[in-house]
Amino acid sequence: MKTIKLNDMTIYVAKNYDEMSQKGAEIIAELLKAKPDAALGLATGGTPVGMYKELIEMNKKGEISFKEVSSYNLDEYYPIEKTNDQSYDYFMRDNLFNHVDIDINNTHIPNGMAADCAAEGKAYDELVRATGGVDIQVLGIGGNGHIGFNEPCDVFDPITHQVTLDERTIRDNARFFNSIEEVPTQAITMGIGTIMTAKSILLLASGKGKAPIVKEMLLGKVTPQVPASILQFHKDVKIVLDEEAAAELLSEIE
Ligand code: F6R
């Protein structure tokens, strides 16, 4: 697989979505073998689904175990019940937790029904802080450069907080709903500061729709208008792209 070093970032260019998913799973599996009680920062969305499938297979074959793992998800819609099949709580159970040997009590997702989002954010950051920083934070990237639900804005948000979703995010996520009107307009997300406490980062991106923002994130200036650009300042970042998502980056640097 083509590997590129860009400052402290390692970029892997996979042929396609399946190879990207496999590489992502290998990186997580390697961590779990070295540290069975790792703290995982997890993401939802379309991108990591294939990686979660690979991890489920590895777990079924006995190659990796989640028994001692704890997990901390990036975000949750707000307000939303856990039982709603559009909640990220439901997504994680459906796409990973129900199929591996993880103790569900060790999985954490911001509470989409919190009465007080500020208090929820503070408590969530305390939980993450108690891990000493998750060992690896899985990220996707929004077409507008968001990570978690940190949308483009004037300042990097340090803490877990309530957000109003961007029009672009609502449009992009409408594919998971019957209609755009059903997409929640609010969410609770780890802040950029919370994300940056992760000991390592694993960002996945696939498809040509992500090609412009992938280039911008890695080669553009670091700005809260492209929240993912902050990753240029993290010391241990692995980015796994498929060829389509890597296309604009590669045409710039090669
Ligand atoms: C998901 C999340 C978002 C997604 C991003 C990309 O928990 O925090 O930042 O990673 O919106 O979504 P997909 O993978 O559906 O393109």
Side-chain angles (χ1 to χ4, degrees):
M1 186 175 301
K2 181 185 289 205
T3 307
I4 300 160
K5 278 297 245 181
L6 200 62
N7 305 319
D8 291 321
M9 294 184 282
T10 308
I11 301 160
Y12 302 92
V13 184
K15 275 201 290 292
N16 50 34
Y17 179 80
D18 287 348
E19 203 179 88
M20 177 203 75
S21 302
Q22 208 177 332
K23 180 69 187 170
E26 278 166 17
I27 291 169
I28 294 190
E30 208 176 298
L31 168 68
L32 293 186
K33 284 175 191 163
K35 188 172 180 189
D37 62 348
L40 305 181
L42 298 177
T44 61
T47 311
V49 170
M51 180 180 78
Y52 292 151
K53 284 207 175 92
E54 294 284 338
L55 289 171
I56 291 167
E57 282 312 305
M58 289 176 178
N59 184 238
K60 287 213 162 89
K61 287 188 204 147
E63 293 167 8
I64 53 169
S65 170
F66 291 81
K67 276 201 180 106
E68 297 173 53
V69 163
S70 59
S71 73
Y72 302 83
N73 263 77
L74 281 169
D75 43 20
E76 177 60 283
Y77 288 125
Y78 185 81
I80 200 160
E81 299 271 4
K82 286 180 194 302
T83 48
N84 186 321
D85 63 4
Q86 291 291 359
S87 75
Y88 285 168
D89 203 288
Y90 189 99
F91 174 103
M92 287 310 301
R93 281 178 280 127
D94 201 30
N95 285 287
L96 185 65
F97 300 156
N98 285 352
H99 311 288
V100 295
D101 58 350
I102 200 164
D103 178 347
I104 201 75
N105 297 313
N106 295 336
T107 67
H108 309 277
I109 300 179
N111 177 7
M113 291 305 285
D116 177 344
C117 286
E120 171 65 16
K122 200 158 179 249
Y124 201 72
D125 281 340
E126 290 295 332
L127 269 179
V128 175
R129 193 169 303 124
T131 69
V134 296
D135 291 289
I136 195 162
Q137 177 64 59
V138 176
L139 298 173
I141 181 169
N144 62 2
H146 74 212
I147 47 176
F149 276 135
N150 292 277
E151 302 287 26
C153 63
D154 294 337
V155 285
F156 288 114
D157 235 304
I159 57 172
T160 298
H161 61 289
Q162 185 177 359
V163 283
T164 298
L165 299 177
D166 238 35
E167 268 174 42
R168 161 109 198 231
T169 302
I170 292 173
R171 251 190 349 257
D172 286 350
N173 287 4
R175 70 191 195 280
F176 298 117
F177 293 78
N178 293 323
S179 74
I180 194 161
E181 287 74 33
E182 286 180 22
V183 185
T185 57
Q186 302 265 314
I188 304 182
T189 182
M190 276 190 197
I192 291 291
T194 320
I195 292 172
M196 289 294 278
T197 64
K199 297 193 182 98
S200 68
I201 303 274
L202 168 61
L203 183 141
L204 307 177
S206 145
K208 56 179 186 299
K210 299 284 171 73
I213 200 65
V214 162
K215 183 180 91 176
E216 188 69 20
M217 153 178 76
L218 297 172
L219 302 180
K221 69 171 187 204
V222 174
T223 164
Q225 295 299 340
V226 182
S229 64
I230 193 76
L231 300 177
Q232 293 181 34
F233 290 162
H234 196 286
K235 289 288 165 216
D236 186 353
V237 179
K238 292 185 177 70
I239 311 243
V240 188
L241 307 170
D242 65 8
E243 279 176 1
E244 287 187 346
E248 293 200 18
L249 171 73
L250 295 182
S251 67
E252 190 78 23
I253 62 178
E254 288 190 337

